[in-house]
């Protein structure tokens, strides 16, 4: 029987993506040391795109790729992702104010301004991520496809740039398209360009921003690329919100709370809705008699979801001191240092103490589901018989 292709979906979330590394570290520990990647299809969005590309480059040596990610994330400092020095922050601040003033006179200067300057991240990726090795992973059979999703500011489309086997066909659906290309650093930067916070990236004829924006169906890219089973490492909230506590929140939200809420909508809601849709389709398929299923454009798709067991914003609250003083001053004005303002910081806190806490949480969450994950990865010798619409 044909071997099933297992897809890995790494979602967005800025510095929250450190959680993914902990999950991947546990999976690497489950496998023999010299194993290839168990995921022949890897899909990354936003910060998840950076992790996805690293795994694709190292698809022939899964543990090596994971260890590299662990080393990077465990030692991250804010200044390696965006400028936090006084001169850099002040310069960007002046550009922001000047853009606001000049825009009132018809200038487009504001169009080229973002809250933070991510030049250090550009330099880090150019130095450390040899994207040319992605094709080597494909040519040797260790990788079937890698996809990176970004959002086009001009067209409003969710664009999935993919590099993979020759038999993969491009796709076009409502507000989303799949485009074959050679994945490079600028695709990763575009996918991770959080709106307002990091600058948009120009690719071909359009500027692109964070891939989680307008990503109506985060799972579909993996299915278009041929995945039969998918493992999703999400960033959803851990734990339940206490009803009594929620009823007591009656003060007007700070700008930080509003921004954090907006980022949650961008990074979390689409995946949760798509997973709910997948479960509903799977249930419908189970009710269809087997002799009729070949005539129906639906099939069952197994999905395993690993997400944080604890609220990441609560962890961020304990590590606010990891932000440089310049960034703390910049963000204090929008209420980040006040109660309930840490949700925004949980996306921007690229500091080793916070990242290590998330890696540990991801590792423990995956270890607690070890048997489930091993069983999911080992079921790759069966032909799928049923589906989720692409």
């Amino acid at each position: 029987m044909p071997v099933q292709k297992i897809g890995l979906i790494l979602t967005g979330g800025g510095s929250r993506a450190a959680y993914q590394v902990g999950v991947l570290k546990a999976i690497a520990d489950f496998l023999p040391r010299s194993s290839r990647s168990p995921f022949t299809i890897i899909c990354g969005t936003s910060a998840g795109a950076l992790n996805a590309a690293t795994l694709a480059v190292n698809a022939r040596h899964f543990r090596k790729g994971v260890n590299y990610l662990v080393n990077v994330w465990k030692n991250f400092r804010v200044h390696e992702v965006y400028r936090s020095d006084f001169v850099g922050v002040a310069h960007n601040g002046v550009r922001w104010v000047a853009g606001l003033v000049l825009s009132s006179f018809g200038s487009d200067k504001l169009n080229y301004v973002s809250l933070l300057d991510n030049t250090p991240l550009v330099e880090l990726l150019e130095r450390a991520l040899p994207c040319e090795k992605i094709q080597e992973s494909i040519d040797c059979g260790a990788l079937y496809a890698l996809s990176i999703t970004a959002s086009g500011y001009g067209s409003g489309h969710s664009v999935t740039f993919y590099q993979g086997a020759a038999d993969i066909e491009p796709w076009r659906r409502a507000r989303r398209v799949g485009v074959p290309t050679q994945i490079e650093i600028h695709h990763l930067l575009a996918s991770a360009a959080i709106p307002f916070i990091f600058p948009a990236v120009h690719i071909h004829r359009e500027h692109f921003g964070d891939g989680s924006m307008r990503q109506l169906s985060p799972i579909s890219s993996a299915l278009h690329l041929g995945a039969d089973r998918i493992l999703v490492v999400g960033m959803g909230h851990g734990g339940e919100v206490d009803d009594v506590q929620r009823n007591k929140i009656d003060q007007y939200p700070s700008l930080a709370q509003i921004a954090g809420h907006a980022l949650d909508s961008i990074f979390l809601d689409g995946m949760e809705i798509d997973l709910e849709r997948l479960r509903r389709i799977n249930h419908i398929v189970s009710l269809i008699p087997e002799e009729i299923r070949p005539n129906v454009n639906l099939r069952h798709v197994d999905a395993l979801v690993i997400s944080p067991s604890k609220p990441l914003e609560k962890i961020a609250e304990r590590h606010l001191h990891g932000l440089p003083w310049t960034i703390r001053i910049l963000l204090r004005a929008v209420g980040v240092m006040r109660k309930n303002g840490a949700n925004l910081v949980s996306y921007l806190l690229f500091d080793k103490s916070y990242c290590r806490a998330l890696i540990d949480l991801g590792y423990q969450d995956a270890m607690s589901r070890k048997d489930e994950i091993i069983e999911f990865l080992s079921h790759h010798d069966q032909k799928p018989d049923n589906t989720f619409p692409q």
Side-chain angles (χ1 to χ4, degrees):
M1 289 186 180
V3 175
Q4 286 193 351
K5 300 182 183 71
I6 303 179
L8 173 66
I9 299 178
L10 299 177
T11 61
S15 55
R16 289 182 173 214
Y19 175 84
Q20 299 171 352
V21 178
V23 174
L24 294 169
K25 182 176 185 294
I27 294 175
D29 287 347
F30 301 158
L31 303 174
R33 182 171 295 274
S34 59
S35 293
R36 287 184 170 188
S37 172
F39 310 105
T40 53
I41 295 173
I42 304 175
C43 304
T45 302
S46 191
L50 311 183
N51 292 338
T54 301
L55 293 180
V57 167
N58 295 279
R60 287 174 290 183
H61 308 283
F62 183 65
R63 187 183 294 264
K64 176 183 176 182
V66 172
N67 286 342
Y68 180 80
L69 285 174
V70 170
N71 183 62
V72 170
W73 283 92
K74 285 186 71 173
N75 296 287
F76 246 145
R77 302 305 298 267
V78 168
H79 68 263
E80 294 178 302
V81 180
Y82 51 86
R83 290 193 64 175
S84 59
D85 60 288
F86 176 77
V87 173
V89 172
H91 180 260
N92 219 51
V94 169
R95 289 183 62 199
W96 183 277
V97 174
L100 287 172
V101 173
L102 292 174
S103 64
S104 64
F105 295 98
S107 172
D108 63 352
K109 292 295 183 182
L110 183 60
N111 296 342
Y112 301 93
V113 177
S114 59
L115 181 62
L116 299 173
D117 179 355
N118 67 341
T119 301
L121 178 61
V122 177
E123 296 172 351
L124 173 64
L125 293 178
E126 290 178 344
R127 182 174 65 253
L129 193 57
C131 288
E132 65 275 7
K133 291 189 176 181
I134 295 172
Q135 189 59 46
E136 294 179 15
S137 296
I138 295 171
D139 292 340
C140 75
L143 180 70
Y144 186 73
L146 166 69
S147 76
I148 304 296
T149 299
S151 180
Y153 281 116
S155 64
H157 289 166
S158 176
V159 180
T160 296
F161 300 100
Y162 70 86
Q163 184 173 348
D167 59 345
I168 300 175
E169 297 184 358
W171 64 88
R172 179 175 291 274
R173 298 292 186 271
R175 292 291 178 181
R176 52 191 171 93
V177 296
V179 179
T181 191
Q182 182 175 329
I183 301 297
E184 297 177 354
I185 298 299
H186 57 269
H187 295 101
L188 309 182
L189 292 169
S191 183
I194 300 176
F196 303 112
I197 296 175
F198 295 132
V201 177
H202 189 265
I203 301 176
H204 303 313
R205 300 180 301 274
E206 188 174 9
H207 281 87
F208 287 87
D210 198 287
S212 295
M213 297 187 294
R214 313 200 74 167
Q215 193 176 28
L216 303 178
S217 185
I219 296 173
S220 67
S221 296
L223 301 181
H224 280 293
L225 294 172
D228 303 305
R229 306 163 63 82
I230 53 174
L231 174 65
V232 179
V233 185
M235 295 294 147
H237 293 293
E240 299 294 330
V241 177
D242 183 75
D243 290 334
V244 176
Q245 182 183 12
R246 182 170 58 234
N247 292 335
K248 292 181 179 179
I249 302 176
D250 55 2
Q251 68 184 63
Y252 195 84
S254 67
L255 288 177
Q257 283 181 267
I258 295 173
H261 185 75
L263 290 181
D264 282 352
S265 297
I266 291 173
F267 290 116
L268 307 181
D269 292 354
M271 179 59 73
E272 292 176 358
I273 293 171
D274 214 19
L275 285 169
E276 181 180 357
R277 178 167 171 255
L278 183 148
R279 297 185 187 103
R280 188 166 61 250
I281 294 294
N282 282 346
H283 176 67
I284 292 174
V285 169
S286 70
L287 301 177
I288 300 175
E290 291 192 15
E291 61 273 16
I292 299 179
R293 291 181 187 178
N295 301 319
V296 180
N297 188 28
L298 296 174
R299 61 184 172 94
H300 178 95
V301 173
D302 287 326
L304 179 62
V305 182
I306 309 293
S307 57
S309 59
K310 298 178 181 178
L312 302 189
E313 63 271 19
K314 297 298 182 183
I315 299 176
E317 285 182 3
R318 301 196 298 267
H319 296 276
L320 287 176
H321 62 274
L323 284 171
W325 67 270
T326 50
I327 302 300
R328 291 202 301 270
I329 291 176
L330 179 66
L331 297 181
R332 182 174 282 114
V334 295
V336 168
M337 299 306 164
R338 288 158 47 188
K339 185 178 180 181
N340 299 320
N343 198 28
L344 174 59
V345 166
S346 71
Y347 292 95
L348 302 177
L349 190 50
F350 291 91
D351 181 74
K352 62 181 181 181
S353 63
Y354 174 62
C355 292
R356 289 181 181 187
L358 297 196
I359 291 173
D360 290 342
L361 178 62
Y363 186 83
Q364 295 303 323
D365 285 349
M367 291 298 293
S368 68
R369 300 176 65 179
K370 177 178 179 179
D371 293 341
E372 187 180 2
I373 294 173
I374 291 176
E375 181 180 5
F376 181 85
L377 296 179
S378 64
H379 285 179
H380 59 274
D381 57 349
Q382 302 175 6
K383 175 71 174 177
D385 59 344
N386 24 25
T387 185
F388 181 52
Q390 302 174 350

